[in-house]
Amino acid sequence: FACSAYPAHLPEFMDSVRAEAQDNVTRIQHHACIALWCGNNELEQIPRVIGDTPGAMSWAHYCALFDDLIREVVTRLDGQRAYWPSSEHSPIGNRSSDFSTDPRWGDAHLWKVWHGREPFEWYRTALHRFCSEFGFQSFPEPRTVETYTAPEDRNLTSYVMELHQRSPIGNSTILDYGLSWFRLPVGFDNTMWLSQIVQVLGVQYAVEHWRRNMPRCMGALYWQLNDCWQVASWASIDYLHRWKALHYAARRFFAPLMLSSVESLDAKKIDVFLSNDRLEARAGVLRWTLTAPDGSAIDEGAETIGVSPSSSACIFTLDASAALAKHGPRGLIAWFAFEAEGEPVTRSMALFARPKHLALQDPALRVSATVDGDSISAAVTASKPALWAWLTHPEAHIRWDDNFFHIRPGETRTLKGRITEGRIAPDGAELKAMSLYDTFAE
């Protein structure tokens, strides 16, 4: 049930719902992945659905269906998992007089960024207990777009591009946020790629904030996982099963051990957090480096740190006052890595200025690869900072263990992947490395 009124005043309808609920709970209740049974999506937060207006269902009928009938079926046939009448839902308060979600309890759908045009920084003000729906759109990669466009259609405002858009405000919203953070991309393909970086930034801002605030917030679900057709959407996997930048980023910001950083230009500092969802404590070394946008070293250091099990804490504060005084907010990139047994486990990067205002230079990305059947290994290096670097191939598609990552000058990142479409030469000759710089460089 979703976003609509239902005829719960009709006995025959209620009988049908009971039969369907019984069949489905019996069918899937043994699956270990089920954490919660939920009666409906968003009915409690849409005033026109419930009330006394024509076409609405009354609160009494709503409660009979979602508080009583479905709950009884779930409790009788499962009993191991909890039941939740609606998402979003606040279990305390008067639902019939207040359609707003209370951040003190329950779950929330937070769309003030995408639909309300709030800046990404707004997420850092949201202190809800569980965010069960939020998101930001992007376009699929250029080769997926080519499956539903002719060359003359490949313009953001063409009829075909606007038709293949899930949201009436979609294309303009992607472009608006993109120009707020990044330089105007050059050409259609780069617009597609840059949109995926914008999507990463929006969702990452939110998830990292909520994980830093555990145990107040203990969960986040972004909308959405995949697509039912080739389209611009909130998905992190496109219709052809190709991972967007967001899906790679989600592996990092949902990892059990996650490093994140919060910059404050006013306070001239960066707070570094380590979030640990594991049931055991973790100890290691935090290494940090300050560079200029051209890659020249400014400062570096290391701290031995630890984090308790099932917790999140600020493990280090970088005083950037001297560096800011000398180089300014546009002249700094801060790199952080948490190492255990000498290997980076999780990384973070922080800026004091929007990426569009950094004087980034050509990172001169280099990639070498070896192919063995459908497996591939690639080493990527850069002579200058490479932000949101990714690997692509003109004919084949590869599912990497990481992609759309940051590379410090002189660093080598080794990636493993599986070829899911097409063929690649044994030396990966046509494999191409790109980064944010390539989206705007002429």
Side-chain angles (χ1 to χ4, degrees):
F1 301 92
C3 304
S4 181
Y6 293 90
H9 61 290
L10 299 176
E12 59 269 29
F13 175 78
M14 298 290 274
D15 290 341
S16 174
V17 171
R18 180 177 289 104
E20 183 176 357
Q22 290 176 164
D23 286 350
N24 282 286
V25 172
T26 302
R27 180 173 60 90
I28 64 175
Q29 59 87 23
H30 65 281
H31 286 281
C33 64
I34 296 176
L36 178 75
W37 296 99
C38 187
N40 71 75
N41 175 73
E42 293 184 347
L43 267 65
E44 292 184 7
Q45 304 306 322
I46 305 176
R48 67 180 181 275
V49 168
I50 308 173
D52 300 324
T53 58
M57 61 191 303
S58 70
W59 275 105
H61 292 138
Y62 173 90
C63 293
L65 175 55
F66 295 108
D67 290 356
D68 301 333
L69 188 153
I70 301 178
R71 184 190 302 274
E72 186 278 327
V73 172
V74 168
T75 302
R76 173 166 47 87
L77 296 180
D78 184 354
Q80 299 182 61
R81 266 81 49 118
Y83 172 77
W84 203 242
S86 179
S87 182
E88 50 194 337
H89 171 70
S90 288
I92 301 175
N94 188 345
R95 290 180 293 180
S96 63
S97 63
D98 185 4
F99 282 90
S100 64
T101 301
D102 195 316
R104 292 174 294 177
W105 37 66
D107 69 313
H109 295 189
L110 300 177
W111 287 100
K112 286 192 175 181
V113 170
W114 177 260
H115 290 294
R117 293 295 182 99
E118 294 283 356
F120 291 154
E121 291 88 346
W122 175 86
Y123 284 121
R124 292 180 176 176
T125 71
L127 296 173
H128 298 73
R129 309 307 298 269
F130 184 90
C131 181
S132 51
E133 191 181 296
F134 74 105
F136 197 88
Q137 275 200 2
S138 72
F139 296 101
E141 65 178 74
R143 285 204 302 139
T144 297
V145 176
E146 289 170 6
T147 66
Y148 62 85
T149 59
E152 60 269 22
D153 300 320
R154 291 165 198 159
N155 182 290
L156 203 59
T157 57
S158 74
Y159 174 77
V160 171
M161 287 298 294
E162 291 190 344
L163 184 67
H164 288 76
Q165 167 54 259
R166 291 288 310 278
S167 174
I169 64 169
N171 292 1
S172 61
T173 301
I174 294 170
L175 191 60
D176 183 31
Y177 280 88
L179 295 181
S180 177
W181 282 88
F182 301 102
R183 298 191 189 188
L184 184 69
V186 175
F188 181 79
D189 284 5
N190 284 325
T191 301
M192 301 297 101
W193 287 121
L194 184 64
S195 77
Q196 296 195 17
I197 296 173
V198 178
Q199 184 184 34
V200 166
L201 196 62
V203 178
Q204 180 177 321
Y205 244 89
V207 174
E208 288 186 346
H209 165 73
W210 290 322
R211 291 195 65 185
R212 284 192 293 267
N213 281 279
M214 67 183 297
R216 177 177 180 84
C217 179
M218 290 298 288
L221 300 171
Y222 67 76
W223 177 266
Q224 68 199 80
L225 179 65
N226 55 3
D227 282 323
C228 61
W229 65 316
Q230 301 101 309
V231 67
S233 80
W234 302 269
S236 60
I237 302 175
D238 76 21
Y239 176 74
L240 298 177
H241 301 250
R242 295 166 177 168
W243 287 19
K244 293 183 180 180
L246 175 58
H247 211 71
Y248 288 104
R251 297 190 69 186
R252 299 189 292 266
F253 58 65
F254 277 129
L257 201 66
M258 182 204 69
L259 199 66
S260 65
S261 48
V262 181
E263 77 294 337
S264 173
L265 186 56
D266 291 339
K268 299 179 175 59
K269 68 172 184 175
I270 301 172
D271 290 328
V272 182
F273 290 77
L274 190 59
S275 302
N276 181 19
D277 278 339
R278 296 197 180 277
L279 299 181
E280 64 273 358
R282 292 299 299 267
V285 176
L286 176 72
R287 299 193 185 277
W288 59 270
T289 305
L290 277 178
T291 71
D294 66 1
S296 56
I298 296 173
D299 201 0
E300 64 180 1
E303 297 278 340
T304 300
I305 55 91
V307 64
S308 301
S310 301
S311 68
S312 184
C314 179
I315 58 170
F316 177 71
T317 296
L318 176 64
D319 181 357
S321 55
L324 283 167
K326 184 175 182 179
H327 300 277
R330 295 172 53 210
L332 295 177
I333 303 177
W335 312 80
F336 303 96
F338 174 73
E339 297 180 356
E341 300 178 354
E343 293 294 327
V345 177
T346 173
R347 306 167 190 257
S348 182
M349 185 272 293
L351 304 171
F352 285 103
R354 296 286 170 99
K356 66 182 180 181
H357 292 149
L358 301 183
L360 295 174
Q361 299 180 17
D362 185 351
L365 287 165
R366 298 288 183 269
V367 57
S368 60
T370 56
V371 179
D372 182 9
D374 65 352
S375 298
I376 182 170
S377 176
V380 187
T381 60
S383 60
K384 306 285 185 181
L387 305 187
W388 291 283
W390 74 95
L391 300 183
T392 185
H393 191 278
E395 302 296 332
H397 192 269
I398 305 160
R399 186 167 296 167
W400 298 99
D401 59 0
D402 199 8
N403 216 358
F404 294 88
F405 47 83
H406 308 306
I407 311 179
R408 290 189 293 109
E411 182 182 18
T412 299
R413 297 290 296 271
T414 301
L415 310 178
K416 303 292 184 182
R418 183 170 65 87
I419 302 165
T420 60
E421 301 173 32
R423 298 173 65 100
I424 298 178
D427 62 352
E430 292 187 282
L431 202 62
K432 184 178 182 182
M434 301 176 66
S435 73
L436 178 63
Y437 174 84
D438 295 288
T439 65
F440 63 82
E442 296 283 356

